[in-house]
Amino acid sequence: MTANERPLLIPAAGLAAFGARLLAAGGCSEEEARRVADRLIMANLTGHDSHGVARIPRYVGMIESGLVVPGQHVTVVNDGGSFVLLEGGAGFGQTLGEEAVAIGCERARDAGISVIGLRNSGHLGRIGDWAEEAAAAGFISIHLVNARGRSIVAPFGTPDRRMSTSPFCIGVPWTNQPPLILDFATSMVAEGKVMVAAAGGPKLPAGALVTAEGLPTTDPAALYGPSVGSAAPDPMLGEGALAVFGGHKGSGLNFMIEILAGALTGSGVNRTLREEDVKPFANGMLSIYLDPERFAGRAAFEAQVKDYADYVRSARPAPGHAAVLLPGDKERGLKAERERDGLPLAAGTWRGLVELGQRLGVDPGDLRPRSG
Ligand code: NAD
């Protein structure tokens, strides 16, 4: 374990290029490798290292075991005009997500609203990406996502694993201003934050995990068991679980997301009591796209958003807080800082990438992290 090591600082562009070469050597086309690596780097830049390049060893392992299939595109299962159900064929979520958002925006442009189901997708990464993409096209979007085959979260009132980390995301466009992006897992922390903590990254908040006995812990071994500390630890191997956020309310939200993103799309809930229903990992996503022009009118909507945002921001910061932040503010601030100074990368994450490169014959070249 590397908990006391200082993080490394590394330029984002060089790391993106190294990440793309690793993914290409792992089986992606150059184009898809670049797309996936760029999305992972965006997660690092916005402070979500849980969804950044630390995922590459796991993604390559998933290609090797056939759990994710490079080169897939969405196919239409059911087209109802403003409603479309898409099949992902276990492809890369970074490719399928872009295609699903493009269809959602196109249909909402026609009808004012669209609902898009995406089933059997590989990991969709940071869901805020998809809300940002829709906001850039002028649409409000709501995304509910489940993770089939990842029963790693304990519902409120039990230490037993029954839920996935089921993220929730809302994005709101704002002309000439950055969009508002609310984006979080309904577990107290995303699973990848435990992986990054185990690789020497930031410590977890108190109560992020529970032991098999139901006691709060921050020890990543509760989630990963004997695989803790490896470059691609397996969250299915621990005896404990991730805790839900927000007690009974977060637990209820998680449950509803699971059935809308998993059962309604046909992607499947994360598992059931029947052993034959234990399926491999897949993200399911139910997304709603709205054109503000067709509701209050874009200008009137944005004027109200601005007035309300100003009102909320005018509140006095409590001790320990520099300002009252709106959804997406923190990510934007970190992105500016990290683009300027370089990405802080847990030492174990860098080692995992270099080791993967040695196995695949990919050299980091001149890319050298410096001590943070
Ligand atoms: P988090 O706990 O960091 O919460 C992020 C949200 O809280 C953002 O909207 C952010 O703007 C807001 N926020 C942060 N600090 C704030 C403050 N001080 N004041 C006001 N608002 C603040 O996020 P998380 O739960 O760790 O999730 C991390 C990422 O993991 C997300 O991008 C999520 O989409 C992703 N995820 C993906 C999957 C998947 O299966 N693909 C599963 C789970 C999570």
Side-chain angles (χ1 to χ4, degrees):
M1 287 263 270
T2 52
N4 296 323
E5 285 176 283
R6 286 166 67 88
L8 305 167
L9 279 179
I10 195 156
L15 188 57
F18 179 44
R21 288 194 294 125
L22 289 170
L23 287 159
C28 290
S29 68
E30 302 237 326
E31 187 195 351
E32 187 162 59
R34 190 72 221 198
R35 182 183 305 124
V36 174
D38 285 349
R39 293 274 175 205
L40 295 175
I41 289 289
M42 183 56 77
N44 284 116
L45 283 171
T46 51
H48 295 294
D49 298 327
S50 54
H51 287 68
V53 293
R55 297 264 166 180
I56 291 176
R58 191 181 283 179
Y59 281 3
V60 170
M62 288 172 110
I63 297 174
E64 288 167 347
S65 61
L67 280 178
V68 68
V69 184
Q72 294 293 300
H73 297 280
V74 295
T75 54
V76 175
V77 180
N78 195 352
D79 188 340
S82 59
F83 153 74
V84 187
L85 178 62
L86 300 168
E87 167 64 41
F92 267 93
Q94 289 80 0
T95 298
L96 305 173
E98 269 183 28
E99 294 172 350
V101 173
I103 293 171
C105 293
E106 175 201 307
R107 301 305 175 95
R109 200 167 283 120
D110 293 340
I113 180 168
S114 68
V115 183
I116 308 294
L118 171 61
R119 67 189 198 191
N120 299 320
S121 171
H123 190 234
L124 284 157
R126 175 186 165 251
I127 306 306
D129 275 357
W130 314 124
E132 280 172 3
E133 198 105 335
F139 297 98
I140 296 168
S141 65
I142 303 167
H143 308 268
L144 312 178
V145 178
N146 85 319
R148 189 190 72 196
R150 277 287 181 277
S151 192
I152 58 176
V153 178
F156 181 67
T158 172
D160 292 343
R161 296 164 167 231
R162 287 293 183 276
M163 296 176 156
S164 65
T165 53
S166 298
F168 177 70
C169 177
I170 301 181
V172 171
W174 206 345
T175 310
N176 299 327
Q177 298 227 39
L180 296 163
I181 304 288
L182 176 70
D183 173 30
F184 56 76
T186 50
S187 46
M188 190 189 289
V189 296
E191 182 262 311
K193 290 208 161 85
V194 189
M195 179 166 66
V196 172
K203 286 199 169 62
L204 298 170
L209 297 158
V210 284
T211 65
E213 293 72 39
L215 299 172
T217 179
T218 54
D219 181 359
L223 189 63
Y224 298 120
S227 71
V228 73
S230 68
D234 185 347
M236 303 308 286
L237 297 182
E239 292 184 353
L242 283 158
V244 284
F245 93 110
H248 63 287
K249 301 181 190 184
S251 197
L253 180 61
N254 179 305
F255 183 86
M256 293 302 197
I257 291 173
E258 183 78 35
I259 58 175
L260 293 178
L264 190 66
T265 63
S267 202
V269 291
N270 85 79
R271 64 157 293 178
T272 73
L273 284 172
R274 288 187 300 270
E275 284 303 316
E276 64 269 29
D277 283 346
V278 181
K279 302 222 169 67
F281 170 86
N283 270 155
M285 176 161 76
L286 188 77
S287 303
I288 301 169
Y289 299 84
L290 303 161
D291 180 357
E293 191 59 44
R294 310 282 266 275
F295 289 80
R298 190 176 295 275
F301 170 68
E302 289 190 2
Q304 283 269 288
V305 172
K306 181 179 182 315
D307 286 351
Y308 185 58
D310 288 349
Y311 176 60
V312 172
R313 281 198 209 277
S314 73
R316 292 171 302 139
H321 294 256
V324 177
L325 302 181
L326 298 182
D329 281 348
K330 185 172 177 200
E331 285 75 12
R332 240 180 337 273
L334 280 171
K335 183 162 174 277
E337 191 181 303
R338 291 178 170 198
E339 279 171 342
R340 188 189 59 223
D341 301 340
L343 287 181
L345 203 63
T349 300
W350 174 247
R351 261 198 307 276
L353 296 177
V354 171
E355 280 165 20
L356 178 67
Q358 283 161 353
R359 182 162 78 75
L360 298 175
V362 178
D363 193 276
D366 292 340
L367 187 67
R368 289 279 169 269
R370 58 195 165 85
S371 221

